[in-house]
Amino acid sequence: SANIDTNSRLCMASSVAGHKRAFGSDTVPGLYEDLEQTDCVVLVGSNLAWCHPVLYQRLAAAKEARGTKIIVIDPRRTATCDIADLHLALAPGSDATLFNLLLAEIDQRGLIDPAFAANLDGLEQALAAARQTLPTATGLMQSDLQAFLDLWTGSERVVTVYSQGINQSDSGTDKVNAILNCHLATGRIGRPGMGPFSVTGQPNAMGGREVGGLSNMLACHLDIENGVHRDAVQDFWSAPRMADRPGLKAVDMFQAVEDGRIKALWIICTNPVVSMPEADRVARAIK
């Protein structure tokens, strides 16, 4: 069935799309242990202290034990800033701008990893775009911007943690890729203590993806349009048949309820009248 969509859609869809665009697969290339092995943690759009308190305690302990540098990027001052060495209160929505400036700085400092660069498609186009980025667009003081650029580029092991402040945006996928680009360009990925790290905003958004609970994905991050992938899942489940094309995503699903194409709806452990865009319209559709 492709007729199910989980909270991953509202939580992590931007990361799903960004990962697939960068890696060909919706794969998070990091481990929680990386936060305890790195030199620098950058938290972007993530109030870890409130949303992931156990992980926050692990990070605070790592800072105490190893002197880990912590940068918080958020227009607001949050509780997470209590352990930050640097808080960048950037202009709302300018995250991609900031990471494009970082990519340009990486290039200028000669930090592009030649082994990685040889296998990257579109690097020159990304660099050309990054070089045109205006520093003033972030709304940051030059001293704070420079401190961020120096810390990120000067740390061999960097983990960039991002969450809903990146994902839930009208350009969330591009923001995700702006972050991934910096790690790919420098080869700071796939080794202990370094990499881009998408952390879920809702308890089981990752679990929903893992088991194929999205209308356009199969279990284990496999593609519903790929016949080989469909056969693998169908064989494992001994399923009598498999959907061969994507179903309706959450927003489209409620529009289909509204116009009568969907006659039955099963809602489990969520309240779309609160969480969906155009919530009043959703309420009318369900009624």
Side-chain angles (χ1 to χ4, degrees):
S1 173
N3 297 314
I4 182 170
D5 218 31
T6 66
N7 68 342
S8 309
R9 178 70 58 202
L10 303 185
C11 178
M12 309 292 289
S14 299
S15 282
V16 173
H19 288 154
K20 287 180 76 73
R21 188 155 69 178
F23 309 133
S25 162
D26 171 29
T27 306
V28 180
L31 304 170
Y32 289 134
E33 287 81 358
D34 288 328
L35 298 178
E36 295 159 332
Q37 299 171 358
T38 190
D39 304 317
C40 180
V41 173
V42 182
L43 295 160
V44 195
S46 171
N47 185 6
L48 210 68
W50 280 14
C51 301
H52 302 87
V54 175
L55 199 54
Y56 175 79
Q57 291 172 48
R58 287 177 65 169
L59 180 56
K63 179 180 176 65
E64 183 73 23
R66 303 185 70 256
T68 308
K69 297 295 184 184
I70 298 172
I71 302 169
V72 172
I73 301 172
D74 196 313
R76 308 165 304 160
R77 179 175 178 84
T78 67
T80 305
C81 294
D82 291 351
I83 62 169
D85 297 279
L86 178 65
H87 171 216
L88 297 183
L90 80 177
S94 63
D95 313 84
T97 299
L98 178 63
F99 281 90
N100 277 342
L101 291 170
L102 174 59
L103 185 62
E105 184 78 6
I106 286 166
D107 182 41
Q108 187 174 330
R109 296 192 186 199
L111 295 176
I112 291 179
D113 185 307
F116 266 76
N119 296 297
L120 295 178
D121 292 329
L123 177 60
E124 285 308 317
Q125 296 95 312
L127 289 172
R131 293 185 194 111
Q132 297 176 37
T133 307
L134 298 175
T136 53
T138 62
L140 296 171
M141 292 190 300
Q142 181 58 37
S143 58
D144 285 344
L145 175 60
Q146 196 59 53
F148 165 69
L149 297 175
D150 289 343
L151 261 174
W152 204 102
T153 57
S155 302
E156 171 63 20
R157 292 181 295 179
V158 182
V159 176
T160 305
V161 177
Y162 66 92
S163 191
Q164 302 310 73
I166 293 292
N167 288 319
Q168 296 191 341
S169 161
D170 60 358
S171 57
T173 303
D174 288 338
K175 291 177 182 180
V176 168
N177 283 114
I179 293 168
L180 301 185
N181 286 348
C182 295
H183 282 272
L184 286 169
T186 56
R188 286 172 164 88
I189 186 170
R191 288 183 284 159
M194 60 183 77
F197 202 148
S198 158
V199 293
T200 177
Q202 299 170 344
N204 201 34
M206 174 58 83
R209 292 148 75 192
E210 292 285 357
V211 300
L214 287 174
S215 63
N216 60 330
M217 284 176 63
L218 296 174
C220 302
H221 306 289
L222 299 178
D223 295 323
I224 203 166
E225 298 97 333
N226 186 315
V228 175
H229 290 187
R230 287 198 308 273
D231 289 346
V233 175
Q234 184 168 12
D235 180 64
F236 183 83
W237 278 342
S238 300
R241 66 190 189 116
M242 290 286 293
D244 59 3
R245 60 185 182 276
L248 296 174
K249 299 172 184 175
V251 172
D252 304 318
M253 189 185 295
F254 284 99
Q255 290 171 353
V257 171
E258 183 180 45
D259 63 27
R261 282 177 289 147
I262 288 179
K263 305 293 186 185
L265 188 67
W266 190 10
I267 299 171
I268 311 171
C269 299
T270 187
N271 185 0
V273 177
V274 170
S275 58
M276 290 293 297
E278 296 186 280
D280 290 343
R281 184 180 179 185
V282 170
R284 289 194 301 270
I286 293 173
K287 189 174 181 181

